[in-house]
Amino acid sequence: MTVVRSLVLFVLAAIAEIGGAWLIWQGVREHRGLLWIGAGVAALGLYGFAATLQPDAHFGRILAAYGGVFVAGSLAWGVVVDKFRPDRWDYAGAAICLVGVAVIMYAPRP
């Protein structure tokens, strides 16, 4: 159950961070205004809290592992929201990152 909780928190963190950055991008680059920017800032704040709920107590480990989730999540966000078409190297890189997440977070430790 701890691994499932951790994975759910990583997904929620990715949605909050990537979504927040996307909202700010839309507000600034696409001229959608301050409401979009404010929503993005709020979402980025939620991301910060999601990381604190991880079962592991080590900040460095959580953020290092989350980096891999961020990479894969960013590509997925691009596919769903911006109709981005990753190539095989994008998929390979994301897979390598997710293997790194699994090793960092869920490998047995002495």
Side-chain angles (χ1 to χ4, degrees), residues 18-53:
I18 298 162
W22 182 83
L23 286 166
I24 292 170
W25 177 284
Q26 293 298 306
V28 174
R29 301 266 315 234
E30 303 298 328
H31 308 288
R32 297 208 174 172
L34 289 176
L35 191 60
W36 286 71
I37 294 168
V41 169
L44 289 170
L46 290 174
Y47 151 73
F49 283 101
T52 67
L53 301 174

